[in-house]
Amino acid sequence: MAADTAYARRLDGVRIAYDVAPGERPILLVHGFASTAEITWAGTGWVRALQDAGRGVITPDLRGHGRSDKPHRGIDYVPRQLAADLVVVLDALGLDQVDVVAYSMGARVAAALARLAPERVRRMVLGGAGPVELFETWDTDAVRRFVADDTLPTEPTIAAVFGSAFRAGADREALAACVLGVAGATLEVPAEIPVLYVAGGADAIPTGVADLARARGSEYRELPGRDHVNTLTSREFKRAALEFLA
């Protein structure tokens, strides 16, 4: 996916894997839950599109995902911890400030980064997320049962979100801990940081994001007919992001 692969290490020893693709003014890409940087950003054409536009790309795997370390406590996945992982990656690369594109749960992690270290973020594109945080609507006991022994939950999105990740060999306990830590995370971003919100017109997960953008005075782009998965492959999404981050 990239020209270089490395690890940044937190003081507690947790290692965060990241790739770097060369180019000017690097953009930090933050993937969502039960995914990886490779799947979310390389597999959908984002890395190539940004490089073709002359931009550098930084693609970390969030803790609990991909090649990064996978602690099993919910407290290890609170948004501030996930955001601090991104700060360590920027520190390792010697980058004072970057633009950010983030999707789904990654949008909440990016928002937490903007609150934790606003000076490190120039502009942000937040896709596939709205004011209602999905995990907060889930029955955590049902999540634990499904993770432990595949007991099917009554809420179908739990099995849908976890199922493909489990089949791909994801760390079950790490993902369950991530749900507990991230549940209820907000999309609040400091007022001084410009934000473009993007959502698929057929995606129920970011319901309410248009009103959120309007209340904040931010830009909003809806992609007609796109759902939570294929929004990422949209050329219009990529063009809008590049224009906003120019």
Side-chain angles (χ1 to χ4, degrees):
M1 177 174 66
D4 188 26
T5 301
Y7 288 85
R9 187 183 294 271
R10 294 285 302 277
L11 291 177
D12 62 3
V14 172
R15 298 177 310 151
I16 305 301
Y18 63 94
D19 295 316
V20 178
E24 298 298 319
R25 298 168 55 216
I27 298 173
L28 176 67
L29 304 181
V30 188
H31 69 78
F33 179 72
S35 188
T36 65
E38 175 73 25
I39 292 169
T40 300
W41 303 117
T44 58
W46 276 88
V47 173
R48 174 170 292 185
L50 297 183
Q51 282 204 285
D52 286 349
R55 301 294 296 264
V57 185
I58 308 156
T59 48
D61 281 336
L62 296 175
R63 63 169 61 196
H65 299 74
R67 302 151 299 165
S68 292
D69 286 348
K70 301 171 178 65
H72 287 173
R73 303 181 306 165
I75 195 172
D76 291 315
Y77 292 89
V78 297
R80 186 179 179 88
Q81 286 282 27
L82 295 168
D85 292 342
L86 301 181
V87 171
V88 169
V89 170
L90 297 182
D91 288 346
L93 292 169
L95 294 171
D96 293 330
Q97 190 177 65
V98 292
D99 290 325
V100 180
V101 178
Y103 195 73
S104 195
M105 186 190 80
R108 299 183 189 280
V109 177
L113 169 65
R115 296 192 301 271
L116 176 66
E119 73 283 359
R120 309 300 289 270
V121 179
R122 190 183 75 98
R123 297 170 77 86
M124 308 187 79
V125 179
L126 303 181
V132 178
E133 199 285 306
L134 179 64
F135 300 157
E136 193 172 33
T137 69
W138 286 358
D139 179 345
T140 55
D141 288 335
V143 170
R144 291 189 181 97
R145 288 192 297 270
F146 185 60
V147 168
D149 58 16
D150 292 322
T151 298
L152 285 176
T154 56
E155 170 51 63
T157 60
I158 296 175
V161 171
F162 276 98
S164 59
F166 289 172
R167 290 190 292 273
D171 187 312
R172 291 173 172 246
E173 294 297 330
L175 292 186
C178 185
V179 167
L180 295 176
V182 173
T186 77
L187 276 183
E188 182 181 351
V189 175
E192 66 270 19
I193 298 176
V195 179
L196 166 65
Y197 297 91
V198 179
D203 184 3
I205 290 177
T207 296
V209 68
D211 292 335
L212 174 66
R214 189 178 303 111
R216 191 180 186 274
S218 294
E219 296 185 38
Y220 170 66
R221 183 73 60 90
E222 183 172 301
L223 306 176
R226 294 280 178 166
D227 60 26
H228 198 66
V229 175
N230 65 25
T231 288
L232 278 166
T233 63
S234 167
R235 292 181 181 178
E236 183 182 349
F237 189 179
K238 298 177 182 71
R239 284 196 298 269
L242 280 166
E243 290 170 4
F244 184 75
L245 300 178

